[in-house]
Amino acid sequence: MPPIPPASQPPAMSEQPAPSTTPQRSNRLVVYAALAGNLAIAVTKLVAAGITGSSSMLSEGVHSLVDSANELLLLHGLRRAALPPTPAFPFGHGRELYFWAFIVALLVFALGAVISFYEGISHILDPEPMTRPVVAYVVLALALLFEGMSWTVAFRAFRRTKGRFGYVQAFRRSKDPTTFTVLFEDTAALLGLLIALAGVSASHLLEMPVLDGVASLCIGGVLAVAALLLARETKALLLGESANPEVRDAILRLAAQDPGVRTANGVFTTQLGPHQVVAALSAEFEDGMTTAEIETCVQRIEAAVKAGHPEVLALFVKPQTPEVWRQRATALQRGR
């Protein structure tokens, strides 16, 4: 195991293992399934909207087009995030995925929600009777089927990774935006389809075309909520959110167990990608240790950490007394 560089130097490129390709393949499967379903559904919805004149159907068609574009952006983000480290990006390009996931959240709001609001208001102000509503029913039934299949793929992938946590907690803790973004999109799409079905049915059966516009407004509301939730989570990841507490606790535990460490003071972590973490450990070593002995101790800690958490690309160890650590940690928390 090569020695860990001191905190003032960038880590050697050879110390950074290539990210695992297994999660990447699983993520791509989820995105490809969503892309195939959304493209087919978008074309069908837009054709049906042209035939029936349904505002909610048009909103749903635009929604599916936006989702298709979003899947392409996520695939681009996955490809960019897998690029190897370079001198300009010594820890790799993992945060590119977070950037493109944030763009996806903005598109869901800007193109999906805003257009749905516009269509709904236009149809309420100038309602037009729906023609050939049976076409809309058939298209919505098929869309629910295809969207349900895509949602099932995304849901199973998310369930495999959530562990013992509840779904909401797992979403908040997740460091991989691809699966939860697709799951959110598909969930919003299913809700939108049910709203569109209710709007088309009410407009047809009650002979009140204005209700179709109301359904478009409701679809816009669903998309806006989904976009805001996605934006909040991906923004935190993009800005450098810390890794999950289990990683920090494991580093502290392993460091404290090493015979050369008197006190493991604390750990700071930052998430660079779904499976990429950089950590900084503050520790006080036993008195009388030579530089070579401290270096060997650091190597043991690093080897133990990477054995249990291979996502830790680099571990920086800073010799500090507990008092100095507490002072600096307190100052950092206060924003000094």
Side-chain angles (χ1 to χ4, degrees):
M1 213 49 196
I4 295 180
S8 59
Q9 299 177 1
M13 301 301 293
S14 61
E15 292 185 5
Q16 300 173 46
S20 173
T21 57
T22 301
Q24 289 276 358
R25 282 196 290 267
S26 176
N27 294 344
R28 289 179 186 275
L29 175 62
V30 172
V31 179
Y32 280 132
L35 176 61
N38 283 323
L39 283 175
I41 294 169
V43 173
T44 307
K45 287 176 181 176
L46 292 175
V47 171
I51 295 174
T52 63
S54 169
S55 173
S56 59
M57 185 67 71
L58 180 59
S59 295
E60 275 299 299
V62 172
H63 177 192
S64 294
L65 280 179
V66 172
D67 283 352
S68 300
N70 291 343
E71 265 75 74
L72 291 174
L73 290 177
L74 288 176
L75 288 172
H76 178 66
L78 283 169
R79 183 183 66 83
R80 293 287 303 172
L83 292 176
T86 65
F89 297 92
F91 295 116
H93 298 74
R95 279 190 183 159
E96 282 235 28
L97 180 57
Y98 296 156
F99 170 78
W100 291 109
F102 187 72
I103 296 298
V104 164
L106 296 181
L107 287 178
V108 170
F109 182 82
L111 296 182
V114 172
I115 291 177
S116 295
F117 285 136
Y118 172 79
E119 281 298 319
I121 293 172
S122 298
H123 208 71
I124 290 174
L125 295 177
D126 186 20
E128 296 181 3
M130 187 183 307
T131 60
R132 304 178 68 178
V134 175
V135 174
Y137 293 138
V138 173
V139 169
L140 287 172
L142 291 174
L144 282 168
L145 174 63
F146 294 135
E147 201 71 67
M149 294 170 62
S150 174
W151 183 88
T152 300
V153 173
F155 178 74
R156 287 176 176 174
F158 186 73
R159 187 173 58 185
R160 284 195 300 268
T161 61
K162 80 178 187 68
R164 67 182 188 277
F165 302 99
Y167 289 101
V168 175
Q169 189 178 8
F171 164 66
R172 297 296 306 274
R173 289 170 49 89
S174 177
K175 308 301 182 182
D176 186 353
T178 50
T179 302
F180 71 66
T181 296
V182 172
L183 182 60
F184 255 62
E185 285 184 348
D186 287 348
T187 302
L190 284 173
L191 290 175
L193 286 168
L194 293 174
I195 294 171
L197 180 60
V200 168
S201 302
S203 176
H204 173 223
L205 298 176
L206 300 177
E207 296 184 352
M208 296 177 62
V210 70
L211 295 179
D212 193 34
V214 173
S216 284
L217 290 179
C218 294
I219 292 171
V222 169
L223 294 177
V225 171
L228 291 174
L229 288 174
L230 288 175
R232 185 181 67 178
E233 293 304 313
T234 52
K235 173 193 168 188
L237 292 169
L238 185 60
L239 293 179
E241 186 177 57
S242 62
N244 285 326
E246 290 82 0
V247 177
R248 177 201 63 206
D249 295 342
I251 295 173
L252 279 176
R253 183 181 68 255
L254 292 170
Q257 291 172 354
D258 193 276
V261 175
R262 172 178 294 179
T263 307
N265 302 318
V267 175
F268 288 133
T269 61
T270 185
Q271 195 81 31
L272 296 182
H275 310 285
Q276 299 168 316
V277 175
V278 170
L281 167 68
S282 169
E284 182 180 19
F285 296 93
E286 293 291 349
D287 293 337
M289 292 180 66
T290 65
T291 301
E293 289 172 338
I294 292 176
E295 184 177 333
T296 301
C297 175
V298 168
Q299 290 177 356
R300 288 196 303 264
I301 296 171
E302 182 192 35
V305 168
K306 287 190 174 182
H309 293 273
E311 69 271 22
V312 178
L313 298 185
L315 175 63
F316 301 101
V317 181
K318 185 169 185 177
Q320 274 183 330
T321 63
E323 293 76 16
V324 174
W325 158 260
R326 283 193 291 269
Q327 291 173 5
R328 298 192 176 178
T330 301
L332 183 63
Q333 292 172 354
R334 292 176 178 175
R336 294 178 182 175

